[in-house]
């Protein structure tokens, strides 16, 4: 009965407010301007029931039965003009506020009408790009579709270009190089009706094709050979991914397979680890992800890292700007914030780094090393039993946790931080530790100690250093009982007094043994450090530029008259970050001859010493395996939606792997929260390359069209969403996408289909008509040669282009100086190694090559679906005065003299043939003759490199 009475009473207030008569009009009048379909501040919409109760990025705005807990009511009653809603005009009247309060108190009943139901249907889902491909009833072709559009717009196509123009255009498009004079002449004279088709086949079969189109793909992948950001460390193994792209394109690897390998190549049935360099190609904040001591900064950097991977995959493959949904639901496209983070969940288990190409060989070497380590531990354990445990150098400093402060030689238990104010090479006495003479910060000593930053970290410590991550070397944890750690962060040195140690211990002839390793994060393996041991004044051991994933076993004999042993850690030339070097079980033991052992025991000790030496040499030998800079997989952590994209404001719910729901024929779910890391990427790769996904094929054929015509059918190549461009020829886009599938995803087939079209073969020099932007393709587009191709053109014409050296590590047209932030100083390319094609250049993010940058070479930190083309005075000056151009002009002149002899007319003829693929006109011949006589051949060659006809195709 009491329950029945409560229900009846609760129902009474609802009759006092008619929602459709009082509340809905009020919301329409006062709220919809800022919280409606077109504009929804704070992600809140109040124009329809499903959105109103969903709320915005601060959560629900209406809490039924609780006005005081409802942000909507709180804002309309706020007395602060900056917080009050509505923000414009007068505040709501007391009667209007009372009506809303009563409505919320009575349960916020919102009767659903037709508008509310219609709101559930997202109009954005009707966007052309999300729809299945058009099914053609009648046979179609590129030219029939274009001709129909031209007729519709009362436009006429241009005549076909002459053969000289066609071979120059085609060679540039497919090779990024000029044709040779011999190739031009052969094509002009070829009477075969299929001469043009044969030319296409020859160009597509050449390895130059893969080099050309790899450049386009690497723009999309924002590939470079350094990390970027403040440290901009080298990626010496990144080039393998670049070579993978070149080889895949030359082999005409099916495009769907090409994509699958780059997203999940390491977990496919036929693995391609190197292809996953695609996911790691972008910038990487090494400081933010590895070196920082701040968890907040680390989470922020990781956020950017995952955003980069997700954005790269989805824009490159599908042309959707998913990154716009990082902080809120996408403003334009039907992509929710939840979907964005479901894509995060696909890649959450990935980190960037060097990984082995041959996992089987790597596993074999690891197992062999583990076996050697195990045997070495057995040997050292038995030796310790026979000869005694020895004297522990860590214990000589003090009890565990004690350290020697490098600034003043005092003992401390405090965890010290960064020091840059200590004078290098100053021997600071340590009077409180009898066995230690002094400590110092070493730097650039004649004894063989390299130059360092002169900075250091923490103290020389008995135990792990401040911020030390690992205490394990080769499987042994030296922080456990029975072991010890002597920590020496670079740059630091400690000198032990052997005379004092002998006096106290009675030891005479001794040995020094220890395991050398690093306590740094595994991701810091690329960072380097050095370690040196002096016994007296003699250097007995040194390892320079030791990686953080390397270790060494030390076993050094100490003469009876040696006064000291000095242990020195230096920074490897790249600053002190992560140089958490330590010695495990650093001990002085009695030499066998000094111990009262039986003959049998001495023989056993000698045998063990010999085996120990052999095992140590095997462990210390540098064994390397081929590596690639790619992604390294681990168990994926839970992913939550970040409120407003803030990594410090995660939601409670974990998001399973998934993708976008805007394609009606494909399911967005890609697995559960427990799905293995590799399965997540395989599922996404399958979703992207599914024939029912219209985006993937539309995007790549549009890119091909863009690369051949200078603009795509959709002129925003990486944005097919509502914020992107509309297709000029929708039927053509779908026809090409359909052809791609029919051809078995063959890109070479698509190239041939495009370049054989009459549209491609049109002249480009016709006067501008009513369609000034040439969207309807009534002519070919004149295009300027991009930066790298300009460089390659110059080298090809001067005769210096090195086409023999292909693949492998990129050429470094700079001097390199190790440092906390490495210094890259570009030099003029003037040797055969530096005359390789630009695709093989070692690309530095932080220090762009100035000549190429002037010619609009893009910043590799950015995804570049379309090259920017500017016209500036600096470009003309660079093509006239840059040292590279001046030297190549000299080589060009020498080539003309070599090939044409001293005949000036022949020199001019050959120059035009090389630079412009044509003969000079009579007027040009005369003017060139006069110019050369007045200014020499070098100046003439220099002027040709600066001509518009040289830097433009068509």
């Amino acid at each position: 009965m009491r329950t029945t009475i409560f229900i009846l009473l609760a129902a009474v207030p609802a009759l006092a407010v008619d929602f459709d008569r009082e509340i809905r009009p009020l919301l329409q009048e006062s709220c919809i301007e800022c919280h409606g379909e077109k504009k929804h501040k704070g992600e809140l919409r109040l124009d329809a029931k499903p959105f109103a109760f969903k709320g915005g990025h601060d959560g629900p705005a209406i809490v039924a039965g609780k006005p005081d807990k409802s942000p909507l009511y709180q804002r309309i009653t706020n007395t602060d003009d900056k917080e009050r809603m509505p923000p414009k005009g007068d505040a709501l009247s007391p009667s209007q506020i009372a009506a809303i309060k009563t409505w919320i108190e009575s349960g916020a009943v919102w009767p659903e009408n037709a508008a509310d139901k219609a709101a559930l249907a997202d109009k954005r889902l009707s966007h052309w790009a999300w729809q299945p491909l058009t099914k053609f009833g009648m046979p179609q072709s590129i030219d029939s579709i274009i001709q129909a559009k031209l007729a519709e717009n009362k436009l006429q196509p241009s005549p076909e270009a002459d053969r000289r123009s066609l071979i120059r255009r085609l060679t540039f498009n497919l090779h990024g190089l000029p044709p040779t004079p011999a190739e031009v002449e052969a094509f002009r004279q070829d009477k075969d009706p299929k001469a043009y088709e044969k030319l296409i086949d020859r160009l597509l079969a050449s390895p130059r094709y893969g080099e050309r189109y790899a450049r386009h793909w690497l723009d999309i992948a924002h590939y470079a050979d350094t990390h970027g950001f403040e440290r901009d460390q080298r990626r010496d193994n990144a080039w393998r991914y670049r070579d993978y792209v070149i080889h895949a394109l030359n082999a005409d690897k099916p495009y769907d397979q090409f994509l699958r390998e780059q997203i999940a190549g390491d977990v496919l049935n036929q693995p391609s680890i190197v292809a996953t360099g695609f996911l790691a190609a972008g910038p990487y904040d090494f400081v933010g992800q590895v070196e920082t001591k701040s968890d907040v900064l680390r989470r922020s950097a990781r956020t950017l890292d995952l955003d980069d991977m997700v954005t790269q995959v989805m824009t490159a493959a599908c042309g959707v700007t998913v990154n716009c949904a990082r902080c809120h639901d996408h403003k334009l496209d039907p992509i929710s914030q939840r979907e964005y983070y479901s894509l995060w969940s696909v890649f959450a288990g990935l980190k960037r780094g060097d990984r082995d190409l041959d996992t089987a060989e790597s596993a074999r070497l690891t197992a062999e090393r583990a076996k050697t380590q195990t045997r070495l531990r057995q040997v050292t354990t038995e030796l310790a039993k026979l000869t005694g445990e020895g004297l522990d150098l860590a214990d000589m400093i003090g009890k565990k946790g004690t350290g020697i402060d490098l600034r003043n030689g005092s003992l401390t238990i405090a965890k010290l931080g960064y020091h840059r104010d200590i004078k290098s090479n100053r021997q600071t006495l340590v009077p409180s530790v009898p066995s230690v003479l002094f400590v110092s910060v070493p730097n650039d000593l004649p004894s063989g100690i390299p130059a360092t930053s002169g900075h250091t970290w923490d103290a020389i410590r008995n135990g792990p250093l401040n911020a030390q991550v690992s205490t394990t070397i080769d499987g042994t944890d030296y922080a456990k009982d029975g072991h010890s750690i002597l920590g020496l962060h670079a740059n630091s040195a400690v000198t032990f007094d052997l005379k004092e140690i002998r006096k106290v211990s009675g030891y005479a002839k001794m040995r020094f043994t220890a395991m050398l390793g690093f306590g740094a994060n595994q991701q810091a393996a690329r960072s380097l450090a050095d370690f040196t041991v002096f016994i007296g004044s003699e250097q007995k051991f040194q390892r320079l530029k030791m990686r953080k994933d390397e270790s060494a076993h030390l076993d050094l004999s100490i003469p009876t008259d040696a006064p000291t042993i000095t242990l020195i850690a230096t920074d490897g030339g790249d600053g002190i970050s992560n140089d958490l070097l330590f010695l495990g079980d650093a001990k002085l033991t009695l030499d066998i001859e000094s111990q009262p052992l039986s003959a049998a025991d001495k023989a056993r000790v000698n045998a063990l010493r010999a085996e120990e030496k052999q095992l140590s040499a095997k462990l210390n030998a540098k064994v390397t395996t081929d590596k690639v800079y790619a992604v390294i997989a681990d168990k994926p952590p839970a992913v939550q939606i970040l409120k407003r994209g803030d990594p410090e404001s995660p939601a409670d719910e974990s998001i399973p792997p998934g993708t976008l729901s805007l394609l009606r024929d494909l399911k967005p779910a890609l697995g559960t929260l427990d799905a293995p890391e590799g399965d997540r990427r395989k599922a996404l790769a399958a979703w992207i390359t599914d024939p029912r996904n219209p985006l993937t094929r539309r995007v790549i054929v549009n890119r091909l069209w863009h690369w051949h015509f200078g603009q795509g059918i959709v002129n925003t190549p990486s944005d097919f969403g509502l914020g992107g461009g509309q297709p000029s020829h929708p039927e053509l886009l779908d026809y090409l996408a359909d052809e791609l599938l029919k051809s078995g995803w063959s890109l070479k087939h698509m190239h041939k289909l495009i370049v054989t079209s009459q549209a491609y073969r049109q002249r480009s020099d016709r006067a501008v008509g009513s369609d000034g932007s040439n969207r309807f393709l009534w002519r070919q587009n004149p295009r300027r040669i991009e930066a790298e191709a300009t460089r390659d053109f110059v080298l090809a014409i001067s005769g210096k282009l090195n086409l023999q050296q292909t693949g492998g590590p990129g050429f470094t047209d700079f001097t390199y100086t190790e440092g906390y932030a490495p210094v890259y100083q570009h030099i003029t390319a003037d040797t055969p190694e530096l005359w390789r094609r630009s695709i093989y250049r070692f690309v530095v993010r932080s220090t762009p090559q100035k000549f190429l940058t002037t010619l609009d070479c893009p910043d590799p930190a950015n995804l570049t679906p379309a090259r920017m083309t500017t016209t500036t005075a600096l470009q003309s000056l660079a093509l006239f005065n840059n040292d590279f151009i001046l030297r190549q002009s000299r080589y060009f002149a020498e080539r003309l003299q070599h090939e044409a002899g001293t005949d000036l007319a022949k020199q001019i003829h050959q120059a035009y043939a090389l630079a412009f693929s044509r003969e000079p006109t009579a007027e040009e011949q005369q003017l060139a003759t006069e110019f050369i006589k007045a200014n020499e051949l070098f100046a003439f060659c220099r002027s040709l490199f600066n001509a518009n006809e040289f830097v433009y195709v068509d």
Side-chain angles (χ1 to χ4, degrees), residues 648-676:
E648 301 310 304
S649 301
D652 294 332
E653 181 187 5
S654 295
I655 307 298
T659 184
L660 310 181
S661 60
L662 46 74
L663 302 180
R664 70 189 189 198
D665 291 335
L666 294 173
K667 294 180 180 179
L670 298 179
T672 66
L673 290 170
D674 299 324

Side-chain angles (χ1 to χ4, degrees), residues 71-295:
L72 172 64
Y73 182 73
Q74 294 169 358
R75 298 299 290 273
I76 65 174
T77 58
N78 201 302
T79 57
D80 186 343
D81 288 343
K82 294 181 180 179
E83 296 293 324
R84 175 181 60 81
M85 294 295 169
K88 300 177 183 178
D90 297 329
L92 298 184
S93 68
S95 61
Q96 290 172 324
I97 292 173
I100 289 179
K101 181 180 182 183
T102 302
W103 172 65
I104 295 175
E105 284 179 333
S106 63
V109 177
W110 185 315
E112 196 169 65
N113 64 11
D116 293 318
K117 293 176 181 177
L120 290 173
D122 193 335
K123 297 176 184 178
R124 299 174 300 173
L125 290 173
S126 62
H127 181 60
W128 68 267
W130 325 138
Q131 309 314 310
L133 296 180
T134 303
K135 294 182 178 179
F136 299 99
M138 298 289 290
Q140 299 284 336
S141 70
I142 291 175
D143 290 318
S144 67
I145 295 170
I146 290 176
Q147 291 288 350
K149 183 70 75 171
L150 289 174
E152 180 184 329
N153 289 275
K154 298 181 173 56
L155 293 167
Q156 291 294 322
S158 296
E160 183 169 310
D162 62 83
R163 283 201 167 189
R164 180 204 69 82
S165 297
L166 284 176
I167 188 172
R168 181 174 166 87
R169 177 190 300 170
L170 199 60
T171 308
F172 165 71
N173 279 170
L174 294 179
H175 283 185
L177 294 170
T180 67
E183 289 169 339
V184 173
E185 193 58 29
F187 179 57
R188 290 179 63 188
Q189 300 299 326
D190 194 339
K191 304 300 182 183
D192 189 334
K194 294 187 176 181
Y196 184 69
E197 186 176 345
K198 289 192 304 183
L199 172 62
I200 295 168
D201 290 339
R202 176 176 66 80
L203 293 173
L204 287 174
S206 167
R208 306 287 85 81
Y209 157 75
E211 294 169 341
R212 171 62 169 161
Y213 276 84
R215 177 66 272 154
H216 291 317
W217 185 258
L218 295 182
D219 276 2
I220 299 168
H222 59 344
Y223 167 90
D225 296 282
T226 63
H227 286 337
F229 291 91
E230 62 183 290
R231 288 294 300 275
D232 203 21
Q233 292 182 327
R234 295 170 62 121
R235 297 175 176 176
D236 287 324
N237 295 306
W239 61 269
R240 296 185 192 278
Y241 169 68
R242 176 249 291 153
D243 281 4
Y244 160 82
V245 175
I246 294 172
H247 296 152
L249 293 172
N250 277 329
D252 199 21
K253 181 170 287 188
Y255 181 67
D256 60 336
Q257 182 183 348
F258 181 62
L259 285 180
R260 283 195 300 272
E261 289 178 351
Q262 291 180 87
I263 297 167
D266 54 332
V267 290
L268 297 177
N269 290 335
Q270 294 182 330
S272 179
I273 292 171
V274 69
T276 64
F278 172 70
L279 299 175
Y284 177 71
D285 185 357
F286 182 80
V287 173
Q289 295 221 52
V290 177
E291 293 190 330
T292 183
K293 305 301 186 291
S294 167
D295 289 337

Side-chain angles (χ1 to χ4, degrees), residues 373-569:
Q373 291 163 352
T374 299
R375 179 55 189 158
L376 180 60
R377 284 195 294 272
Q378 293 170 345
V379 168
T380 54
T381 300
E382 187 176 353
L383 277 171
K385 290 179 180 178
L386 288 169
T387 63
E389 293 296 330
L391 307 173
D392 196 303
L393 294 183
D395 288 341
M396 292 182 189
I397 290 173
K399 63 181 182 180
K400 285 190 177 180
T402 300
I404 302 174
D405 192 326
L406 287 151
R407 294 172 295 184
N408 51 34
S410 65
L411 295 182
T412 179
I413 59 172
K415 295 292 186 181
L416 305 179
Y418 190 81
H419 305 306
R420 65 171 69 199
D421 55 351
I422 308 174
K423 184 177 180 181
S424 295
N425 302 324
R426 182 183 63 192
Q427 295 179 344
T428 302
L429 298 176
V430 188
S432 56
V433 182
S435 57
V436 176
L437 280 175
F438 46 78
V439 294
S440 66
V441 175
N443 186 13
D444 197 13
L445 292 170
S447 57
I449 302 305
T452 72
S453 66
H455 303 163
T456 192
W457 175 268
D458 198 18
I460 295 173
R461 194 173 295 280
N462 178 357
L465 294 158
N466 182 17
Q468 185 165 329
V469 177
S470 171
T471 55
T472 299
I473 304 174
D474 287 346
T476 298
D477 186 350
Y478 289 93
K480 289 186 175 181
D481 290 343
H483 297 286
S484 68
I485 288 174
L486 176 57
L488 294 92
H489 197 295
N491 296 292
S492 62
V494 57
T495 298
F496 290 89
D497 187 347
L498 292 177
K499 292 180 180 178
E500 179 66 22
I501 292 172
R502 290 191 187 95
K503 183 168 60 175
V504 173
S505 67
Y507 283 19
K509 192 174 182 182
M510 295 180 285
R511 303 187 72 83
F512 170 60
T513 59
M515 283 301 298
L516 170 66
F518 293 90
N521 191 304
Q522 287 185 347
Q523 284 185 278
R526 181 68 184 84
S527 183
L528 308 172
D530 316 313
F531 185 70
T532 308
V533 178
F534 281 90
I535 296 178
S537 60
E538 187 177 354
Q539 184 188 107
K540 288 288 189 178
F541 176 90
Q542 187 172 62
R543 283 284 294 275
L544 298 178
K545 300 189 183 304
M546 189 172 172
R547 286 169 53 102
K548 300 300 187 293
D549 55 359
E550 296 178 332
S551 61
H553 180 252
L554 283 70
D555 185 356
L556 307 175
S557 177
I558 301 176
T560 55
D561 58 350
T564 58
I565 180 169
T566 303
L567 312 177
I568 303 174

Side-chain angles (χ1 to χ4, degrees), residues 752-928:
K752 188 170 183 178
L753 189 68
I754 291 170
V755 300
T756 53
S757 70
Q758 186 58 44
Y760 177 83
R761 289 182 287 164
Q762 294 178 103
R763 284 170 53 182
S764 64
D765 56 355
R766 184 175 157 197
V768 174
S770 59
D771 178 24
S773 61
N774 195 29
R775 290 298 286 149
F776 299 126
L777 298 167
W778 51 272
R779 66 169 183 166
Q780 179 56 273
N781 291 305
R783 276 160 296 149
R784 203 180 75 193
I785 300 169
E786 67 268 20
E788 296 94 330
T790 299
R791 176 188 177 276
D792 292 351
F793 264 54
V794 169
L795 288 167
I797 291 165
S798 72
K800 295 301 182 184
L801 183 62
N802 179 355
L803 294 176
Q804 286 68 50
Q805 282 184 270
T806 61
F811 66 86
T812 53
D813 56 347
F814 54 80
T815 59
Y816 175 72
T817 305
E818 289 269 12
Y820 174 80
V823 178
Y824 302 90
Q825 185 68 44
H826 283 286
I827 59 174
T828 300
D830 203 34
T831 61
E833 163 62 21
L834 303 184
W835 291 333
R836 299 168 69 192
R837 286 203 71 174
S838 298
I839 188 68
Y840 298 116
R841 184 171 65 92
F842 189 104
V843 180
V844 180
R845 292 189 203 273
S846 65
T847 313
Q849 213 268 11
K850 291 181 180 179
F851 175 69
L852 295 179
T853 301
T854 303
L855 299 179
D856 297 327
C857 186
D859 182 348
N862 301 325
L863 301 165
T864 308
R867 290 286 184 106
M868 178 177 66
T869 302
T870 65
T871 303
T872 68
L874 285 177
Q875 292 166 354
S876 181
L877 290 170
L879 288 168
F880 200 64
N881 294 324
N882 181 269
D883 188 38
F884 170 73
I885 291 292
L886 293 176
R887 298 189 192 201
Q888 293 304 315
S889 297
R890 182 69 65 191
Y891 295 136
F892 186 13
E894 292 172 357
R895 177 181 185 178
L896 295 177
Q897 291 167 338
H898 175 74
E899 294 181 0
T902 58
D903 188 320
L904 187 55
K906 289 183 178 179
Q907 290 177 353
I908 295 169
H909 189 280
Q910 182 70 349
Y912 272 78
L914 287 166
F916 305 144
S917 303
R918 66 174 177 84
E919 298 174 355
T921 64
E923 183 182 13
E924 287 171 334
Q925 184 82 34
Q926 179 184 347
L927 291 173

